[in-house]
Amino acid sequence: MDSFEPDGNAANGVNGTNGANGVNGANRVNGANGAEDALPPPPPVIPPDVVPLHVEADNIPEPVKKKPARVPIARRGLGTKGTKIPLVTNHFKVNVTNIEGYFFHYSVSVAYEDGRPLDGKGAGRRIIERVHETYHSELGGKDFAYDGEKSLFTVGSLPRNKLEFAVVLEDVPSSRNNGNCEPDGPGSPNESDRKRLRRPNRSKTFNVEISYAAKIPMKAIGDALRGQESENSQEALRVLDIILRQHASKQGCLLVRQSFFHNDPKNFADVGGGVLGCRGFHSSFRTTQGGLSLNIDVSTTMIIQPGPVVDFLIANQSVRDPFQLDWTKAKRILKNLRVKTSPSNQEFKITGLSEKPCREQTFTLRNKQAKEGEDAEIEVTVYDYFVNHRNIQLRYSADLPCLNVGKPKRPTYIPLELCSLVSLQRYTKALSTLQRASLVEKSRQKPQERMSVLSNALKINNYDAEPMLHSCGVSIGGSFTQVEGRVLPAPKLKVGNGDDFFPRNGRWNFNNKTLVKPTKIEKWAVVNFSARCDLKALVRDLIKCGDMKGIKIEAPFDVFEENPQSRRAPPLVRVERMFEDIQSKLPGQPQFLLCLLPERKNSALYGPWKRKNLAEYGIVTQCIAPTRVNDQYLTNVLLKINAKLGGLNSLLAVEYSPSIPVVSKAPTIILGMDVSHGSPGQSDVPSIAAVVSSRQWPLISRYRASVRTQSPKVEMIDSLYKRGSDTEDDGIMRELLLDFYTSSGKQKPDQIIIFRDGVSESQFNQVLNIELDQIIEACKFLDETWSPKFVVIIAQKNHHTKFFQPQSPDNVPPGTIIDNKICHPRNNDFYLCAQAGMIGTTRPTHYHVLLDDVGFSADELQELVHSLSYVYQRSTTAISVVAPICYAHLAATQMSQFMKFEDASETSSSHGGLTSAGAVPVPQLPRLKENVSSSMFFC
């Protein structure tokens, strides 16, 4: 392995890798083009009044030549393989006639009368709307597109470059009326309350300054359609998207990026816990090969159940009545939510709860009827004030805390039963397993149903009536775009005894077949954490089923039942006790432990058990929570066990022979990379970066993983290359590359194919220039002279393009690929539906090929990606995204369970992340024992 050993300082040598920046490389004029007779560089120009300094020869800094940034490659051609199929997609054609015009960009600042900047969201739109109404003529009669923050756009310029206005705004409720009543319906305030609403101190004056920032030519949109993207074209499209957002905002919608949600109870689906799924629409402009299109899709967000606060809390905490509520929890979830109070119908933001119940909590009231000698102020309880001074009956609030809707120094208390939560308030915490299942169940739509909902959405949105779109000359077609897809044939698989197998409709099975490389299970035991199960029958059936699949399973050494006294103990203690029992009875370390857990999902034992086995002992383990044990269930469990123990369930026939185009010809490593973040409510949970890599080339079905923590919410992986010292690299890549070398007959990979998940288009350049640079550094650190070729492919699932068969109620067939018409005008991207969509509407994966040094043809690359959806060892179906990316998800998820980060608070953001002092260190994951670290433990 000599050539692969790290080579001290070679990297810093004059002619080493940095030769391009070194003495011999930097000043070569036109060297790259071989123009030997180029002109010498011009002499430096020194202003007459500057005396040149004499620099000591030793102190001359080496000229730093900035490496040109990599950009995504252009498409080299279209694929041709497969059977053609006519499809339609949820893109609607957009025509733009005002090509000669300009968008003018103005920056907006809004301040209170005393000069303090405006705080809080939402008010900005109302203030700018008021400016538009009040000063229409001073603004030259122009319409605005306002982004709700600091930017405003017009078509053509405003009369002056800087304008200042003052507007008065009453503190009115938000435009999203309460879910229970129409704005002026039976719940609206009575006359005396209206007067209270209009008290003079409820209105505020704001100073608005609008100043010119830039102008954006509309023809930049046309440039983008010809594949010439620029900052201007991205800005111009952003303006069009902002117009859509503003259009939705005027209709009282909740806006979530480019998705819009109307306040209509027909769109709400209860998923339990006081949380509703709210169905709305995504709507955004896209540049495609076929021109500009509007992409409309169904979208769902989670909202808090509107209506009485007490009903929400009872549902959220699953209790029977308000007297069983945990008020610490309640305070946390209610903070910053908006409520309407009855009978005044005013809207407030909740800042907290009162310390004492309503009948004990006091405040100071001005005594208007005070006679001389009496106190001008009296102490009253909140209960007494509402019941006796305001004559409002309270049924159940007396013994409950009040909501505080005031400022920290000046609390304002309101009894709980007078408060209702306003509709369309987002719920941002992670959903429980049950809520998620309920949401999936309630939000699926068959393809035909989705198509009719989308056609309807286009009509409801009525974009033709939007004056800003009108002045841009934008009109939107009413029919789905027609595209031509191709259905790739499923790859042939190899199972046991060299048998061939042809998947049908993206599926296959092992009935009457054996696995291609079955393992032997000799030293093993069963561990039962109080799960109810007939263990004898389970073990008997598992051994029998294994035998049919070719896996020889000996009888287990023992079955360890948990001591009933331990059931109430904390999870860590239960796992420790179980291991003490195992160690005292087993003659040596087992090869494998089968673990039965009492709960099907989210068992608190799972993380500590996995950590103990993998990080402390190096034992392969499989957890199950058996409910219905049948042949299919046991086969699925055995597929996982076989893969974890180093076996293989099936292989691609081209892998077996080996004859994979391009990949089989030269040593090739395939990487899957993913970063998973804590839920939106947890800002201090470390993010987890996982990279999996193929091993034992020419195979592409075996993988291992390397996982690290990093700062919360950071998407770019920062530990691919981690220089400790001149001879040390503790990064992910070194570990994976050395494993490939030792498992592939001492060969270094000539080709490195990277699949990266979870990055948006705005981050493509970072993947190409930051992450790829780290990987190249890691390669150079191992061997200075080694220059592998790279392929970088991004996989995206969270986009909004869907495909439909125009004449069929079914989803598109598995293997459907689209690389024309609605793909990018310049870049190399394609959509692939590898999976069979059984329920709902298939979501294609959008692959973007950012770099290809190897020189794949379109067909070769598309077929490789398609084949990698068939090597997932955990199931007998084609999966929706390439297996290495799925494995990276699994590895990150499993190892995040090792450390229960959820104990970190749900609201604080002080631990970890970026502070003014730089990145805060995050807790590191334990490393796995060597004998399991290269296994498919994540399967």
Side-chain angles (χ1 to χ4, degrees):
M1 160 142 206
D2 344 316
S3 66
F4 213 25
E5 289 305 326
D7 186 344
N9 300 320
N12 308 329
V14 176
N15 292 328
T17 39
N18 295 346
N21 309 335
V23 177
N24 293 344
N27 298 330
R28 208 178 293 134
V29 179
N30 280 346
N33 304 334
E36 295 301 329
D37 53 348
L39 295 172
V45 178
I46 298 174
D49 53 345
V50 173
V51 180
L53 285 173
H54 281 283
V55 183
E56 295 297 320
D58 294 351
N59 297 338
I60 298 177
E62 264 184 29
V64 179
K65 186 178 178 191
K66 199 163 181 285
K67 240 183 31 229
R70 300 182 191 94
V71 294
I73 61 167
R75 186 184 302 282
R76 293 179 186 151
L78 299 173
T80 56
K81 294 219 171 139
T83 314
K84 290 183 176 167
I85 179 174
L87 302 170
V88 294
T89 177
N90 56 339
H91 283 238
F92 298 86
K93 185 149 185 56
V94 176
N95 284 319
V96 187
T97 52
N98 185 359
I99 292 294
E100 296 312 309
Y102 285 87
F103 287 122
F104 279 72
H105 177 188
Y106 294 87
S107 54
V108 176
S109 75
V110 181
Y112 293 103
E113 255 180 316
D114 58 8
R116 282 178 304 129
L118 176 72
D119 52 353
K121 280 190 178 170
R125 282 190 192 277
R126 287 174 10 226
I127 293 165
I128 295 298
E129 230 163 89
R130 180 57 56 89
V131 168
H132 191 244
E133 289 162 14
T134 316
Y135 298 101
H136 198 63
S137 55
E138 287 88 332
L139 295 163
K142 288 272 178 217
D143 287 311
F144 292 167
Y146 175 54
D147 72 349
E149 309 264 332
K150 293 193 161 43
S151 290
L152 179 149
F153 300 88
T154 58
V155 177
S157 68
L158 293 175
R160 295 205 305 283
N161 277 353
K162 189 164 188 183
L163 296 153
E164 292 182 352
F165 303 106
V167 288
V168 178
L169 203 65
E170 295 80 40
D171 199 354
V172 290
S174 76
S175 56
R176 301 183 211 153
N177 49 42
N178 194 335
N180 311 6
C181 59
E182 292 305 312
D184 294 313
S188 47
N190 58 34
E191 199 47 44
S192 67
D193 282 317
R194 277 181 199 275
K195 289 201 179 96
R196 295 172 53 80
L197 256 179
R198 293 211 193 101
R199 283 177 306 185
N201 69 342
R202 303 295 303 175
S203 65
K204 293 191 178 80
T205 301
F206 297 94
N207 295 326
V208 180
E209 196 176 280
I210 297 175
S211 44
Y212 171 77
K215 86 180 194 186
I216 306 155
M218 288 192 195
K219 71 173 184 28
I221 298 172
D223 296 343
L225 294 172
R226 287 190 293 280
Q228 298 155 352
E229 274 199 338
S230 63
E231 227 160 89
N232 269 342
S233 60
Q234 283 165 356
E235 277 297 292
L237 287 170
R238 192 169 81 91
V239 179
L240 293 179
D241 280 343
I242 287 168
I243 296 171
L244 296 182
R245 281 175 63 85
Q246 178 171 285
H247 183 75
S249 163
K250 283 180 188 160
Q251 298 173 12
C253 289
L254 163 66
L255 310 181
V256 183
R257 293 183 292 280
Q258 284 300 126
S259 293
F260 317 123
F261 304 91
H262 287 268
N263 186 22
D264 180 350
K266 283 205 302 289
N267 299 335
F268 302 162
D270 190 345
V271 298
V275 181
L276 311 179
C278 174
R279 183 177 287 174
F281 298 100
H282 165 91
S283 185
S284 66
F285 288 99
R286 314 277 308 166
T287 49
T288 71
Q289 294 162 21
L292 193 63
S293 69
L294 181 69
N295 177 206
I296 298 186
D297 193 21
V298 176
S299 180
T300 304
T301 192
M302 309 318 297
I303 61 169
I304 298 270
Q305 168 188 313
V309 171
V310 72
D311 293 354
F312 163 69
L313 290 173
I314 287 170
N316 183 249
Q317 297 187 20
S318 308
V319 293
R320 277 202 301 279
D321 60 55
F323 304 102
Q324 299 176 321
L325 288 166
D326 171 339
W327 291 102
T328 316
K329 260 191 197 165
K331 181 177 177 179
R332 202 164 55 211
I333 198 148
L334 289 175
K335 194 172 167 62
N336 292 332
L337 291 178
R338 297 190 320 281
V339 286
K340 272 207 173 139
T341 58
S342 73
S344 68
N345 212 30
Q346 276 174 263
E347 194 174 300
F348 297 102
K349 189 196 249 178
I350 302 173
T351 51
L353 297 176
S354 61
E355 309 261 313
K356 298 176 179 157
C358 184
R359 68 163 87 237
E360 293 169 30
Q361 183 68 52
T362 59
F363 70 100
T364 309
L365 180 68
R366 279 208 302 278
N367 186 2
K368 289 173 188 162
Q369 280 88 40
K371 300 187 177 70
E372 270 198 34
E374 286 182 7
D375 284 342
E377 293 184 336
I378 49 172
E379 282 285 306
V380 294
T381 66
V382 177
Y383 184 82
D384 178 37
Y385 168 73
F386 276 90
V387 173
N388 299 325
H389 291 252
R390 299 270 311 273
N391 296 322
I392 294 170
Q393 288 309 305
L394 296 179
R395 297 195 323 275
Y396 58 80
S397 296
D399 298 308
L400 302 175
C402 306
L403 293 186
N404 177 6
V405 297
K407 300 273 184 287
K409 296 270 166 62
R410 288 187 45 211
T412 303
Y413 297 117
I414 302 180
L416 205 58
E417 69 190 73
L418 300 183
C419 298
S420 271
L421 287 159
V422 171
S423 193
L424 294 185
Q425 300 191 73
R426 283 185 79 196
Y427 177 81
T428 55
K429 296 191 170 43
L431 295 181
S432 69
T433 312
L434 285 170
Q435 286 173 323
R436 190 174 296 272
S438 169
L439 176 67
V440 169
E441 179 67 37
K442 289 176 177 170
S443 56
R444 344 183 236 255
Q445 290 172 310
K446 286 265 180 234
Q448 296 297 46
E449 187 191 343
R450 184 169 289 230
M451 277 180 81
S452 71
V453 167
L454 292 178
S455 297
N456 228 358
L458 193 60
K459 293 190 191 93
I460 295 166
N461 284 329
N462 190 14
Y463 289 129
D464 291 340
E466 170 55 51
M468 278 295 287
L469 287 178
H470 199 258
S471 50
C472 306
V474 166
S475 60
I476 297 159
S479 53
F480 285 72
T481 298
Q482 298 182 350
V483 293
E484 184 178 81
R486 291 172 289 116
V487 182
L488 300 178
K492 183 166 68 168
L493 302 179
K494 280 281 180 192
V495 291
N497 305 323
D499 290 350
D500 287 343
F501 197 76
F502 294 91
R504 292 182 52 179
N505 197 24
R507 319 175 81 75
W508 62 99
N509 59 52
F510 282 104
N511 298 347
N512 311 321
K513 292 178 189 63
T514 57
L515 308 181
V516 70
K517 286 192 181 165
T519 48
K520 278 200 181 90
I521 305 176
E522 290 161 341
K523 296 200 263 173
W524 71 291
V526 181
V527 171
N528 183 16
F529 281 104
S530 309
R532 290 196 185 140
C533 179
D534 180 348
L535 283 177
K536 270 208 175 90
L538 178 76
V539 170
R540 183 191 65 225
D541 293 346
L542 191 72
I543 293 173
K544 188 171 133 209
C545 186
D547 192 50
M548 287 162 66
K549 304 289 170 270
I551 302 174
K552 294 277 172 278
I553 308 175
E554 302 290 330
F557 180 84
D558 206 342
V559 173
F560 296 92
E561 291 277 6
E562 183 175 39
N563 182 332
Q565 263 93 56
S566 296
R567 275 184 210 179
R568 297 265 177 279
L572 279 166
V573 175
R574 293 173 71 179
V575 168
E576 284 296 335
R577 286 181 187 162
M578 185 62 87
F579 253 89
E580 283 162 17
D581 194 18
I582 293 170
Q583 280 179 302
S584 66
K585 293 186 184 150
L586 285 187
Q589 180 153 315
Q591 173 197 7
F592 169 69
L593 288 175
L594 180 69
C595 169
L596 277 74
L597 296 174
E599 304 92 358
R600 273 212 52 201
K601 291 276 185 198
N602 301 343
S603 170
L605 291 160
Y606 181 86
W609 173 257
K610 286 286 184 187
R611 178 175 183 154
K612 195 85 182 158
N613 279 273
L614 296 170
E616 292 180 36
Y617 287 94
I619 299 171
V620 172
T621 172
Q622 175 64 49
C623 293
I624 58 174
T627 39
R628 286 201 307 275
V629 177
N630 55 25
D631 196 50
Q632 185 60 59
Y633 177 84
L634 293 171
T635 301
N636 288 344
V637 169
L638 283 165
L639 293 180
K640 288 157 65 89
I641 295 171
N642 190 49
K644 286 177 183 182
L645 287 171
L648 277 171
N649 303 329
S650 59
L651 280 173
L652 299 168
V654 286
E655 202 177 357
Y656 193 81
S657 45
S659 57
I660 309 166
V662 187
V663 173
S664 299
K665 292 196 172 71
T668 302
I669 187 171
I670 296 176
L671 305 176
M673 297 168 38
D674 182 45
V675 177
S676 57
H677 308 287
S679 64
Q682 305 168 316
S683 50
D684 52 359
V685 173
S687 291
I688 294 190
V691 184
V692 302
S693 62
S694 60
R695 50 202 311 269
Q696 296 181 5
W697 178 82
L699 293 183
I700 58 170
S701 288
R702 273 194 209 278
Y703 292 84
R704 63 156 296 156
S706 180
V707 185
R708 303 273 202 281
T709 49
Q710 59 186 36
S711 298
K713 307 281 182 275
V714 172
E715 185 53 57
M716 289 300 121
I717 302 178
D718 61 11
S719 49
L720 294 165
Y721 173 64
K722 255 209 163 126
R723 233 1 229 282
S725 68
D726 280 351
T727 53
E728 255 181 279
D729 164 18
D730 186 33
I732 290 175
M733 283 310 303
R734 179 187 175 87
E735 187 185 317
L736 301 180
L737 291 167
L738 288 173
D739 174 77
F740 180 89
Y741 181 84
T742 49
S743 70
S744 305
K746 302 243 163 140
Q747 295 186 88
K748 301 191 292 268
D750 291 342
Q751 301 172 157
I752 298 182
I753 299 176
I754 301 162
F755 286 97
R756 176 70 160 94
D757 186 33
V759 289
S760 62
E761 279 153 62
S762 60
Q763 296 166 315
F764 287 180
N765 287 349
Q766 287 173 280
V767 172
L768 271 181
N769 292 290
I770 298 173
E771 289 185 341
L772 183 56
D773 271 356
Q774 284 188 66
I775 295 173
I776 292 170
E777 294 261 12
C779 294
K780 293 291 180 199
F781 193 76
L782 280 165
D783 176 359
E784 190 47 49
T785 61
W786 174 38
S787 298
K789 291 175 175 169
F790 289 94
V791 177
V792 179
I793 300 172
I794 307 282
Q796 287 179 333
K797 291 280 289 182
N798 55 351
H799 57 84
H800 286 278
T801 296
K802 302 283 192 302
F803 298 101
F804 306 91
Q805 296 197 60
Q807 305 307 320
S808 158
D810 298 333
N811 269 306
V812 298
T816 299
I817 198 158
I818 294 94
D819 62 2
N820 60 62
K821 200 129 178 209
I822 55 136
C823 291
H824 195 280
R826 173 195 171 274
N827 298 354
N828 187 356
D829 65 331
F830 59 89
Y831 292 90
L832 173 64
C833 301
Q835 77 279 26
M838 304 309 281
I839 43 182
T841 305
T842 300
R843 175 182 297 205
T845 300
H846 191 185
Y847 291 100
H848 303 258
V849 184
L850 302 190
L851 178 69
D852 175 11
D853 294 338
V854 173
F856 279 93
S857 72
D859 280 323
E860 286 166 344
L861 197 55
Q862 291 172 7
E863 285 199 307
L864 174 66
V865 170
H866 185 224
S867 297
L868 283 169
S869 302
Y870 280 80
V871 301
Y872 190 56
Q873 298 295 309
R874 282 166 48 118
S875 75
T876 54
T877 58
I879 52 174
S880 63
V881 68
V882 290
I885 280 179
C886 281
Y887 290 147
H889 278 303
L890 291 172
T893 307
Q894 185 167 135
M895 289 194 68
S896 68
Q897 302 286 321
F898 280 22
M899 305 173 80
K900 274 290 187 196
F901 297 121
E902 288 75 76
D903 302 341
S905 81
E906 290 177 357
T907 48
S908 94
S909 54
S910 53
H911 326 299
L914 292 168
T915 63
S916 51
V920 174
V922 290
Q924 289 305 307
L925 290 168
R927 296 289 169 96
L928 303 187
K929 282 281 189 223
E930 206 159 308
N931 57 329
V932 290
S933 64
S934 61
S935 73
M936 288 176 73
F937 68 86
F938 42 79
C939 241

